[in-house]
Amino acid sequence: MPITHVVLQTAEQHPDRIAIAGEDGRLTYAELVEDSRHMFAAVESLHRAQPEPPAPAPETRGIPITAVSVESAFHTSRIVAGLAGYRAVSATLDPRWPIEHRVGVVLSTDIGVIVSDSADLAEALAARGWTGTVVSLQEFRELEGGAVPAPMPAVRGGEEPFLMLFSSGTTSNPKAFLKTREQYRANVAVSSAHLEPLPGVATLAPGPVSYSLTLYALIECMATGGSAHMADQFDAIDAGRRIAAVGITRVVAVPAVAQGLAVAARRDPERFASLELVVTGGANLPESIRTGLAEALPGVRLISYYGAAEIGFIGDSRDGDGTLISLYDGIEASIRDDAGNPVPDGELGTLWIRADACSDGYLAGTTTEVLRGADGWATVHDQGRLVPAEGGQSAAEAGPGTGGASTGGVASAEAGAAGSPAPRPRLQLVGRRGDIAVTGGHKVALPEVERAFDGMPGLGAVCAVALPDAALGTVVALVVEPESAAGVPGKAQLQEWAHARLAPQFVPRRWYAVDRLPRTVGQKIRRPATAELVQEGRARRL
């Protein structure tokens, strides 16, 4: 169902229900509708005032692009949600991205208006001849206050693009892609069926709205008549207060937030009495986090979903470490080799997905990389394998047309013939293409090496990397950081732990320690940067 239809319907039937709340304000559904009229009028006036407006990327079909790049999750959310009811494409640029990334995105997509408090961004764009407009958040709010309200928001055609998102922005130049309204309606249909963004549900989504996980949490709340409680960043104590004060029942966040909630709940469990569900995404969920949350909040369920911003929601896991994924209805998966050929069942390869929510492709101005083929199959180069469901057949045994996997490593989430669903194979994720090392003739999934060290006493985060070796070509090394000031375990302890949990070819050949592993602004460990530390001699060899 279109997001704008639900927003207008909720504003009429439940005008006082909270739509968006954050540290800088709150809007009911009735207020959101009225706010969007003033906000769009301000946006439109900024675009129209430009003598030589940037021509937006051709993939937008001539619709001007408006970007928000401010720290405030509340104001970012209300602008994105408000623009959804008008002829507009919105984008969120993380103000913590390197300046060259932000400038590159703006110039390659020809964003026309940016709400940003960054003086260096405005100066850098002006120096490059950009003819668009940068306006501060305060200036934008003053424009809104004096604007003649635009007409009411309205449901628009499904083929029209309305969101521009980015695949990265921390380790490489960001690749932009669009979501049409129809693609996002398909995405909401999947998440509504499995991740429980139900009407009236209060969801806490801490973190920058520039993260696709947080942005999608906002949109799915608006598309289902729920309440989106946003936070500029995650703070466990503040989260506990908000959960108790508002009666929040659902949290959508990265796995580290689930860990923080568990720690806070051990200190003051009463504050979390209303919480029913934690939904995590964006990274594999260590089993220790699932266990810790279950111990601290035994009545709270945890769903770890897998998806790609370009493709949409793909599946989820509800036990273990989040690497064994049950595919959602309507999602097809295929595992292929580098030549694009299906691999035998159980073998490692590149994951391809066919789903209605998938974007058409990357914007040509930002990359030459292909997302989606003419046959509708798409890949973001995640690596994995299809494994039989517990008690079920392998994909080859199931055969075509059984509702499980067909031969050739293709899995479908459809039911079996004659009303008797066959056990469906599940998807086992191992990481991105750069997460696979070939050493001594063996393919080694580096994330699988890392997961073996989950729960080792005295060990903080770890990162497995591939290093050049004269004899083997490549060897696996593990770089570790300490859990506390006591330091990291010794090499002998690490080796003993590894041999007890890994196949011989997966056991690291070299061991290094650093005070802190390199991370993205979203706190994901940066594998290439970690390998550079080792090769440049900036890690201590154990």
Side-chain angles (χ1 to χ4, degrees), residues 275-361:
L275 189 60
E276 298 175 0
L277 175 66
V278 174
V279 178
T280 67
N284 288 335
L285 178 79
E287 192 165 2
S288 58
I289 292 181
R290 184 183 295 278
T291 301
L293 186 69
E295 291 172 350
L297 295 168
V300 174
R301 295 173 293 122
L302 193 155
I303 300 173
S304 173
Y305 78 77
Y306 165 62
E310 298 94 321
I311 296 171
F313 296 108
I314 294 170
D316 69 44
S317 70
R318 306 193 179 208
D319 54 30
D321 63 3
T323 60
L324 200 56
I325 304 297
S326 297
L327 297 173
Y328 291 142
D329 294 343
I331 304 298
E332 294 178 89
S334 173
I335 305 297
R336 306 179 185 179
D337 61 20
D338 291 342
N341 301 310
V343 303
D345 301 329
E347 284 197 13
L348 192 62
T350 299
L351 171 65
W352 289 76
I353 295 290
R354 187 156 58 184
D356 292 340
C358 185
S359 296
D360 294 329

Side-chain angles (χ1 to χ4, degrees), residues 196-423:
E196 305 178 30
L198 304 175
V201 165
T203 295
L204 175 63
V209 186
S210 54
Y211 294 175
S212 60
L213 177 147
T214 313
L215 177 61
Y216 281 8
L218 167 71
I219 297 295
E220 69 181 4
C221 285
M222 299 298 95
T224 56
S227 299
H229 294 264
M230 316 304 290
D232 302 347
Q233 58 186 359
F234 175 69
D235 178 271
I237 295 175
D238 178 66
R241 290 178 183 144
R242 292 184 72 179
I243 289 170
V246 182
I248 285 169
T249 60
R250 180 173 177 265
V251 172
V252 178
V254 296
V257 169
Q259 186 174 33
L261 291 174
V263 172
R266 291 189 191 100
R267 297 172 182 164
D268 192 354
E270 294 302 317
R271 282 187 170 174
F272 298 86
S274 65
L275 189 60
E276 298 175 0
L277 175 66
V278 174
V279 178
T280 67
N284 288 335
L285 178 79
E287 192 165 2
S288 58
I289 292 181
R290 184 183 295 278
T291 301
L293 186 69
E295 291 172 350
L297 295 168
V300 174
R301 295 173 293 122
L302 193 155
I303 300 173
S304 173
Y305 78 77
Y306 165 62
E310 298 94 321
I311 296 171
F313 296 108
I314 294 170
D316 69 44
S317 70
R318 306 193 179 208
D319 54 30
D321 63 3
T323 60
L324 200 56
I325 304 297
S326 297
L327 297 173
Y328 291 142
D329 294 343
I331 304 298
E332 294 178 89
S334 173
I335 305 297
R336 306 179 185 179
D337 61 20
D338 291 342
N341 301 310
V343 303
D345 301 329
E347 284 197 13
L348 192 62
T350 299
L351 171 65
W352 289 76
I353 295 290
R354 187 156 58 184
D356 292 340
C358 185
S359 296
D360 294 329
Y362 296 114
L363 270 62
T366 64
T367 184
T368 58
E369 187 172 328
V370 175
L371 167 67
R372 187 176 185 178
D375 58 0
W377 289 88
T379 185
V380 292
H381 306 292
D382 282 349
Q383 302 293 297
R385 57 176 72 89
L386 292 175
V387 298
E390 193 170 318
Q393 299 167 301
S394 70
E397 292 169 332
T402 63
S406 65
T407 54
V410 179
S412 169
E414 302 301 326
S420 178

Side-chain angles (χ1 to χ4, degrees), residues 449-454 456-465 467 476-484 486-495 497-498 508 510-519 525 527 530-531 533-534 538-542:
V449 175
E450 294 161 353
R451 283 192 291 272
F453 292 86
D454 182 32
M456 184 176 183
L459 198 61
V462 304
C463 181
V465 298
L467 300 177
V476 174
L478 192 74
V479 187
V480 303
E481 67 178 25
E483 184 179 43
S484 67
V488 299
K491 178 179 176 180
Q493 292 173 279
L494 291 166
Q495 288 176 322
W497 185 276
R510 300 179 194 170
W511 309 84
Y512 297 87
V514 294
D515 291 335
R516 181 168 171 80
L517 291 162
R519 285 169 166 81
I525 292 171
R527 196 183 308 282
T530 302
L533 280 181
V534 174
R538 292 187 285 151
R540 177 169 59 90
R541 187 161 184 177
L542 300 177

Side-chain angles (χ1 to χ4, degrees), residues 26-234:
R26 56 192 286 169
L27 290 171
T28 66
Y29 269 90
E31 290 168 338
L32 174 63
V33 171
E34 189 61 24
D35 182 79
S36 69
R37 298 178 64 196
H38 291 265
M39 184 271 301
F40 180 69
V43 165
E44 195 171 38
S45 70
L46 288 168
H47 283 288
R48 286 182 173 176
Q50 296 166 348
E52 298 179 24
E59 293 90 343
T60 69
R61 306 175 192 177
I63 302 175
I65 305 170
T66 302
V68 189
S69 185
V70 297
E71 298 285 350
S72 172
F74 170 73
H75 285 295
T76 303
S77 298
R78 74 173 183 86
I79 294 171
V80 170
L83 284 176
Y86 295 94
R87 182 179 180 271
V89 170
S90 61
T92 57
L93 306 182
D94 193 328
R96 297 172 300 177
W97 277 0
I99 184 66
E100 64 269 18
H101 284 186
R102 284 177 281 153
V103 170
V105 162
V106 173
L107 295 178
S108 61
T109 62
D110 275 318
I111 292 170
V113 168
I114 308 169
V115 181
S116 172
D117 293 325
S118 171
D120 61 345
L121 177 61
E123 293 171 1
L125 287 168
R128 298 285 296 274
W130 179 67
T131 59
T133 304
V134 177
V135 59
S136 72
L137 179 58
Q138 181 60 39
E139 292 168 337
F140 183 70
R141 296 191 69 189
E142 291 171 0
L143 280 173
E144 290 180 281
V148 176
M152 288 284 284
V155 175
R156 304 190 63 83
E159 76 288 346
E160 188 178 272
F162 83 114
L163 280 178
M164 184 169 75
L165 302 98
F166 307 95
S167 64
S168 66
T170 52
T171 59
S172 62
N173 290 330
K175 300 188 292 290
F177 57 95
L178 295 169
K179 285 289 183 186
T180 67
R181 298 174 186 275
E182 190 59 41
Q183 287 164 353
Y184 206 79
R185 290 167 193 168
N187 208 29
V188 170
V190 173
S191 67
S192 297
H194 299 279
L195 303 179
E196 305 178 30
L198 304 175
V201 165
T203 295
L204 175 63
V209 186
S210 54
Y211 294 175
S212 60
L213 177 147
T214 313
L215 177 61
Y216 281 8
L218 167 71
I219 297 295
E220 69 181 4
C221 285
M222 299 298 95
T224 56
S227 299
H229 294 264
M230 316 304 290
D232 302 347
Q233 58 186 359
F234 175 69

